[in-house]
Amino acid sequence: MSSSKTLLVLENFIAGKFVPCSSYIDSYNPSTGDVYCRVPDSGKEEVEAAVRAAKDAFPIWSSKSPLERSQILNKLADLIEHDLEAFAQAESKDQGKTITFARTVDIPRAVYNFRFFASSILHHTTECTEMVAMGCLHYTLRTPVGIAGLISPWNLPLYLLTWKIAPAIACGNTVVAKPSEMTSVTAWMMCKLFEKAGIPHGVVNMVFGTGSKAGEAIVCHPDVPLISFTGSMLTAQCITEKSAPHCKKLSLELGGKNPALIFDDADLNQCIPATVRSSFANQGEICLCTSRIFVQKGIYNEFLKRFVAETKKWKVGNPSDPAVDVGALISKEHLEKVRNYVKKAQAEGARILCGEGVDSLVLPAGNQKGYFMLPTVITEIKDESCCMQEEIFGPVTCVVAFDTEEEVIERANGVKYGLAATVWSSNVSRVHRVAQRLQSGLVWTNCWLVRDLNLPFGGMKASGVGREGAKDSYEFFTEVKTITIKH
Ligand code: NAD
């Protein structure tokens, strides 16, 4: 890794080799504001080389048995786990997230993604039906699609990239992947482990660079029949348009404007710390973070008082300090965008109860130029406000009151997104009733971010197209064929 004086310079990983690029872009350490790394600025040429390598590797890789592939995935998981601390340090430095979050969430989940798909690939079955009168037997076969184009965002860099790479290669595809240009380091570190894990050259190719150059080159390449993308709705629209002429298979995991519905009978002792966490974990830079909190009138005042007090306990500062709860936001531009949302809310007459513009932020000497912001709670805000409608993707949450179940369901559904919702109530019938009516791909009741990777993950409405998970990823990363035998 780099010292403070030398820049870390990444290289693309193509056909099992690290290859330099002709031009590079700067990558910043969000907690200091310094350039600390240079990332290849790849384009069509590099993507072409990566696609060629993936094409060459496909026959060997796709003809391996699921068990052979499973063993390799498990080996890679072991190798990442062995270097967990180095990966966590790198992720925290690159993204601005706290070292605690990287150690306990990002990297363990990246390891688990490989273990999970190493196991699940061994347990799929296909279908068989019989037409006795016709003397026919039908069955289905699943085969890998080919070269998978995988494009991931900056908020959970290795976690989300491996959530795509693991099922893609477990199913026998080869890969051209592009992590976010702002957080490429842990993907590059992982490439160093592929050979030792036994991944043949060309099975996973990593091309670093921007979305408009490297990303589009993958999306537009005629030999990449499948794109799995996680990122913003605007980019998803662009990918959909550009890939349409090729009729590519698309999986789109997009943003959210996630509501929490907190009823009078909620257990506030559990609900309040969990909702602070769901609002501000990873600086609010998780697509599943809560950003609209609807609280029933009977407990509204008590909730607000306790919620703000709990929020104020969250310490903002140097992400490498294990006592810190909130690290730096990803970039100067993003910090500015998030701050502007708070300013707009203020201009509309909303009240800021804590955080941005209300409390003062004291930072350590080395972090004065970092992109930090206090967790911010907004109230007295209208449902139509942009802070209640648009994805802010930062440490900002809005709290509003409601009267009835009917009313809150309608208001919770009143946004273009539909990714994740939480419902807090001790009435089991209500929990089922409300969950059933929420327009949301995921509903957590009396908890948040509890995931079983076997089950579908993904959003409704503008939050995405398709689902990922054991069965869903298997279906996405394979083609199904129906075969009929007349006997
Ligand atoms: P983004 O859309 O700007 O970028 C995501 C990736 O797409 C990056 O690798 C980027 O380089 C690439 N890209 C950009 N333009 C492209 C183009 N024209 N063609 C091909 N690739 C292109 O998103 P972001 O800012 O990195 O991430 C934040 C967004 O991701 C938020 O909206 C967040 O909610 C969403 N997200 C969703 C999930 C989910 O699972 N639903 C998870 C994490 C993040």
Side-chain angles (χ1 to χ4, degrees):
M1 300 294 298
S2 67
S3 75
S4 55
K5 285 179 196 132
T6 40
L7 290 180
L8 177 66
V9 181
L10 310 190
E11 291 178 325
N12 288 325
F13 186 75
I14 298 173
K17 289 193 178 63
F18 285 100
V19 264
C21 193
S22 52
S23 59
Y24 286 81
I25 41 182
D26 290 338
S27 184
Y28 291 79
N29 175 340
S31 71
T32 62
D34 296 331
V35 173
Y36 88 107
C37 172
R38 310 213 70 208
V39 176
D41 185 15
S42 311
K44 279 186 184 161
E45 195 183 316
E46 290 76 12
V47 168
E48 185 59 47
V51 171
R52 218 177 308 125
K55 219 173 176 175
D56 291 346
F58 184 75
I60 299 170
W61 185 247
S62 59
S63 59
K64 283 195 186 297
S65 69
L67 182 60
E68 283 175 294
R69 294 198 292 260
S70 168
Q71 285 163 341
I72 291 172
L73 262 68
N74 273 323
K75 177 82 181 153
L76 181 58
D78 293 345
L79 291 167
I80 299 171
E81 192 171 49
H82 179 267
D83 292 348
L84 192 145
E85 184 56 23
F87 274 101
Q89 295 279 355
E91 202 74 301
S92 168
K93 188 170 182 180
D94 208 23
Q95 203 271 337
K97 64 177 70 239
T98 66
I99 186 64
T100 306
F101 201 83
R103 274 182 191 144
T104 57
V105 179
D106 289 74
I107 310 306
R109 174 58 191 274
V111 171
Y112 187 59
N113 285 338
F114 284 110
R115 294 219 171 105
F116 177 80
F117 286 104
S119 165
S120 80
I121 194 64
L122 301 176
H123 304 292
H124 296 292
T125 54
T126 53
E127 296 160 279
C128 180
T129 62
E130 195 181 10
M131 282 179 168
V132 179
M134 300 283 290
C136 282
L137 193 68
H138 308 279
Y139 67 96
T140 57
L141 273 188
R142 284 201 169 263
T143 49
V145 181
I147 303 170
L150 311 178
I151 301 175
S152 57
W154 48 257
N155 63 325
L156 300 167
L158 197 66
Y159 172 136
L160 289 172
L161 184 69
T162 53
W163 175 237
K164 298 182 184 305
I165 293 179
I169 63 172
C171 291
N173 302 282
T174 55
V175 159
V176 176
K178 193 203 83 64
S180 168
E181 60 274 30
M182 287 188 273
T183 53
S184 296
V185 174
T186 49
W188 171 77
M189 287 169 67
M190 182 173 68
C191 294
K192 296 182 184 182
L193 305 177
F194 288 161
E195 178 126 31
K196 204 167 173 193
I199 297 181
H201 292 178
V203 171
V204 181
N205 303 278
M206 203 73 71
V207 178
F208 299 104
T210 64
S212 55
K213 272 176 75 181
E216 273 198 40
I218 297 172
V219 169
C220 296
H221 200 293
D223 296 336
V224 179
L226 169 155
I227 302 288
S228 173
F229 167 79
T230 299
S232 66
M233 198 186 77
L234 279 179
T235 307
Q237 284 168 349
C238 179
I239 289 176
T240 306
E241 277 170 31
K242 300 261 165 164
S243 63
H246 304 281
C247 295
K248 296 193 181 201
K249 224 176 162 182
L250 293 183
S251 169
L252 306 172
E253 299 288 347
L254 314 178
K257 190 67 195 170
N258 309 309
L261 285 62
I262 301 171
F263 288 89
D264 280 345
D265 58 359
D267 175 349
L268 290 188
N269 290 333
Q270 292 206 16
C271 165
I272 289 172
T275 309
V276 171
R277 195 167 67 86
S278 75
S279 300
F280 304 121
N282 205 47
Q283 303 71 244
E285 295 170 326
I286 305 179
C287 55
L288 306 167
C289 276
T290 303
S291 60
R292 296 178 295 146
I293 303 174
F294 295 93
V295 186
Q296 204 160 18
K297 283 211 169 122
I299 55 162
Y300 181 72
N301 288 333
E302 183 193 352
F303 176 90
L304 209 52
K305 198 166 141 223
R306 289 175 59 184
F307 185 76
V308 170
E310 191 71 24
T311 299
K312 285 187 168 191
K313 289 185 195 159
W314 277 47
K315 192 176 165 202
V316 180
N318 189 341
S320 62
D321 176 351
V324 158
D325 306 290
V326 181
L329 275 71
I330 184 67
S331 67
K332 201 173 174 178
E333 295 71 26
H334 188 58
L335 174 64
E336 209 43 47
K337 182 184 143 189
V338 176
R339 280 186 171 149
N340 277 335
Y341 273 109
V342 182
K343 283 188 196 138
K344 279 185 205 164
Q346 264 173 322
E348 287 169 5
R351 271 183 70 204
I352 316 300
L353 296 185
C354 64
E356 178 69 18
V358 174
D359 301 308
S360 52
L361 172 59
V362 183
L363 291 167
N367 299 106
Q368 299 292 326
K369 291 192 191 142
Y371 317 131
F372 294 91
M373 180 177 163
L374 287 164
T376 300
V377 179
I378 302 178
T379 189
E380 293 174 29
I381 186 161
K382 293 197 173 71
D383 286 6
E384 306 77 51
S385 161
C386 61
C387 287
M388 287 285 281
Q389 291 290 323
E390 295 170 20
E391 185 185 45
I392 299 175
F393 216 53
V396 177
T397 198
C398 301
V399 188
V400 291
F402 74 89
D403 262 323
T404 67
E405 186 179 308
E406 195 60 31
E407 171 206 334
V408 76
I409 292 170
E410 195 182 324
R411 289 172 68 190
N413 287 340
V415 292
K416 67 182 171 196
Y417 293 106
L419 186 56
T422 48
V423 180
W424 291 87
S425 166
S426 49
N427 178 335
V428 177
S429 306
R430 167 151 60 202
V431 157
H432 284 291
R433 220 169 35 232
V434 174
Q436 205 266 331
R437 291 184 58 199
L438 286 172
Q439 295 167 351
S440 183
L442 303 144
V443 180
W444 280 294
T445 70
N446 300 320
C447 63
W448 178 70
L449 203 51
V450 181
R451 289 268 295 115
D452 177 348
L453 304 191
N454 283 296
L455 300 185
F457 177 91
M460 294 183 181
K461 305 198 283 188
S463 291
V465 177
R467 296 290 184 274
E468 295 178 350
K471 182 166 169 280
D472 299 86
S473 297
Y474 178 61
E475 288 177 0
F476 179 69
F477 285 110
T478 56
E479 283 290 7
V480 69
K481 191 182 290 177
T482 303
I483 298 170
T484 301
I485 309 280
K486 187 157 169 59
H487 53 82

